[in-house]
């Protein structure tokens, strides 16, 4: 029920954004948009998923199973769209990988965290570099960069350092034990989590060499770049020119805001932050909101639609897993 209220908050934020910009102003802006560029932006986002699928397949050593990898990545992104800070993305990615790729859950979690490690690391470095060239938002980019680097260090501990990760979980477990959860469930959670951590880290170490990680870094950078190109194409749809460096920084900051606010998939918070940052860079308000809404349509909602289709068609029981990990999480009675 709590997750439902959080989702309501997200949609309320979206409605408030539309009311603030003026529905008629948004409609007028949308009427002037070039549909060809919007379709191109949607196609670019499908390519982004393709690049992420190649990366997933490379990490789990199933590079020839592109169709399966594409389905698994889409399901994982869909699950992340409806979980706070996209926290269920890696988990459901692993669940889908187990059902569709036939890999172990530990291997899937290891692959997901490795992907997140490079995604967040690249984002943090880009924001710190951008702070040198964009003085008007320097403080925001520095803080965002440092926060991202902190997340990278945490992922490194849980995905590469067994002793440190077990030690850290031992510090967290007493806090979890204060929740209204049965003792046998807590004990099972501890055993499963520590065993899972060891399995994850073992697989990560088997995969981690310079050649493999360099290729994963390359694919991660390519996916980030393509997402920024997609947003640039949406700007072209509205006949607005903007510096590509600004596009990169705006995109990174908006996604970081979506994570920090812990709203499902950043719904509401990302649209508002995109609109505000566009205005900061000189784009008129109604156009800013329209660009933000269209970009989310061809990214967030396109993935959501595909995720529902793939989950239903390829693995119907995955929908129940997604439901359990995202909007309907319940404590033990």
């Amino acid at each position: 029920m709590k997750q439902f209220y959080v989702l309501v908050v997200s949609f309320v934020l979206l409605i408030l954004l539309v009311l603030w910009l003026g529905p008629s102003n948004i409609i007028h802006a949308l009427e002037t948009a070039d549909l060809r560029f919007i379709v191109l932006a949607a196609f670019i986002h499908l390519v982004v998923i393709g690049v992420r699928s190649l990366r997933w397949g490379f990490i789990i050593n199933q590079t020839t199973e592109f169709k399966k990898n594409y389905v698994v990545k889409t399901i994982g992104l869909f699950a992340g769209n409806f979980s706070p800070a996209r926290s269920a993305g890696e988990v459901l990615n692993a669940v889908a990988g187990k059902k569709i790729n036939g890999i172990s859950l530990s291997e899937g979690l290891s692959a997901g965290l490795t992907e997140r490690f490079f995604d967040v690391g690249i984002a943090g470095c880009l924001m710190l570099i951008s702070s040198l060239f964009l003085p008007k938002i320097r403080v925001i980019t520095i803080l965002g960069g440092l926060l991202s680097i902190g997340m990278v260090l945490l992922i490194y501990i849980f995905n590469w350092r067994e002793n440190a990760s077990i030690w850290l979980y031992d510090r967290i477990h007493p806090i979890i034990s204060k929740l209204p959860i049965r003792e046998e469930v807590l004990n099972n959670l501890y055993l499963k989590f520590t065993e899972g951590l060891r399995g994850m880290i073992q697989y990560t170490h088997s995969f981690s060499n310079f050649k493999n990680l360099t290729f994963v870094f390359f694919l991660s950078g390519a996916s980030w770049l393509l997402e920024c190109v997609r947003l640039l194409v949406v700007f072209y749809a509205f006949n607005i020119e903007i510096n590509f460096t600004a596009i990169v920084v705006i995109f990174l900051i908006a996604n970081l805001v979506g994570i920090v606010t812990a709203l499902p998939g950043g719904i509401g918070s990302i649209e508002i932050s995109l609109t505000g940052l566009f205005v900061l860079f000189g784009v008129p308000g109604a156009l800013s909101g329209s660009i933000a809404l269209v970009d989310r349509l061809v990214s967030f909602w396109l993935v959501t639609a595909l995720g529902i289709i793939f989950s239903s068609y390829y693995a119907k029981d995955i929908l129940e897993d997604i439901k359990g990990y995202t909007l309907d999480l319940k404590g033990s009675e």
Side-chain angles (χ1 to χ4, degrees):
M1 185 60 73
K2 180 181 178 181
Q3 286 75 16
F4 172 76
Y5 289 137
V6 172
L7 191 60
V8 169
V9 170
S10 295
F11 283 106
V12 167
L13 289 175
L14 274 180
I15 293 171
L16 290 175
L17 175 64
V18 171
L19 292 176
W20 178 67
L21 295 171
S24 59
N25 293 330
I26 294 176
I27 292 172
H28 176 71
L30 291 173
E31 288 174 344
T32 63
D34 191 328
L35 184 60
R36 293 171 298 177
F37 281 110
I38 296 176
V39 172
L40 176 59
F43 174 76
I44 291 173
H45 195 70
L46 294 177
V47 174
V48 170
I49 302 174
V51 173
R52 292 180 179 271
S53 303
L54 287 173
R55 182 178 64 177
W56 170 262
F58 180 74
I59 294 175
I60 66 171
N61 196 28
Q62 293 191 20
T63 54
T64 60
E65 300 288 351
F66 181 77
K67 180 180 178 181
K68 289 182 179 180
N69 298 336
Y70 201 95
V71 171
V72 169
K73 284 310 303 178
T74 303
I75 291 172
L77 292 169
F78 163 50
N81 282 352
F82 290 93
S83 61
R86 301 184 183 273
S87 55
E90 282 74 24
V91 175
L92 265 296
N93 217 84
V95 171
K98 181 179 178 181
K99 296 177 183 295
I100 297 173
N101 290 122
I103 60 176
S104 69
L105 196 61
S106 294
E107 186 177 345
L109 288 170
S110 169
L113 284 177
T114 301
E115 291 179 313
R116 180 70 74 104
F117 176 84
F118 282 98
D119 284 341
V120 178
I122 290 173
C125 291
L126 286 175
M127 279 193 278
L128 290 176
I129 294 171
S130 300
S131 67
L132 301 174
F133 305 100
L134 297 170
K136 66 170 63 177
I137 55 173
R138 180 167 293 160
V139 174
I140 298 176
T141 53
I142 290 175
L143 290 175
L146 293 176
L147 180 60
S148 297
I149 298 302
M151 292 173 63
V152 165
L153 292 175
L154 192 61
I155 294 171
Y156 175 74
I157 289 173
F158 274 105
N159 206 33
W160 272 273
R161 308 294 297 178
E162 180 178 324
N163 292 336
S165 62
I166 298 296
W167 179 88
L168 187 58
Y169 183 70
D170 283 340
R171 308 282 81 77
I172 297 173
H173 190 75
I175 299 174
I176 299 176
S177 65
K178 297 183 183 300
L179 298 175
I181 303 175
R182 295 195 305 267
E183 185 176 353
E184 60 269 26
V185 174
L186 281 171
N187 293 336
N188 186 55
L189 174 65
Y190 183 84
L191 290 173
K192 292 291 185 183
F193 198 90
T194 52
E195 289 174 4
L197 278 175
R198 292 188 177 96
M200 273 170 40
I201 293 169
Q202 183 179 5
Y203 181 79
T204 304
H205 284 168
S206 70
F207 170 81
S208 296
N209 58 57
F210 180 78
K211 179 182 178 181
N212 288 343
L213 294 183
T214 299
F215 190 60
V216 173
F217 173 82
F218 170 77
L219 291 175
S220 301
S223 66
W224 271 118
L225 180 63
L226 283 170
E227 292 227 49
C228 294
V229 170
R230 180 204 71 226
L231 179 54
L232 183 64
V233 169
V234 176
F235 269 90
Y236 289 159
F238 290 86
N239 198 28
I240 298 291
E241 294 186 5
I242 188 170
N243 184 283
F244 188 68
T245 302
I247 286 283
V248 172
V249 175
I250 289 170
F251 179 77
L252 294 174
I253 292 175
N255 278 273
L256 184 63
V257 169
I259 293 173
V260 171
T261 55
L263 293 174
I267 300 174
S269 60
I270 290 182
E271 288 82 357
I272 290 174
S273 58
L274 282 174
T275 301
L277 289 166
F278 293 160
V279 170
L280 187 63
F281 280 88
V283 181
L287 273 176
S288 295
S290 300
I291 292 170
L293 292 172
V294 169
D295 183 68
R296 291 284 278 171
L297 175 66
V298 300
S299 56
F300 181 94
W301 294 108
L302 177 60
V303 167
T304 298
L306 288 175
I308 293 172
I309 294 170
F310 289 162
S311 297
S312 301
Y313 185 78
Y314 286 94
K316 295 179 180 179
D317 52 342
I318 288 180
L319 279 175
E320 290 302 315
D321 291 324
I322 291 174
K323 183 179 178 182
Y325 279 109
T326 56
L327 298 181
D328 290 326
L329 286 169
K330 296 179 180 180
S332 300
E333 295 176 1

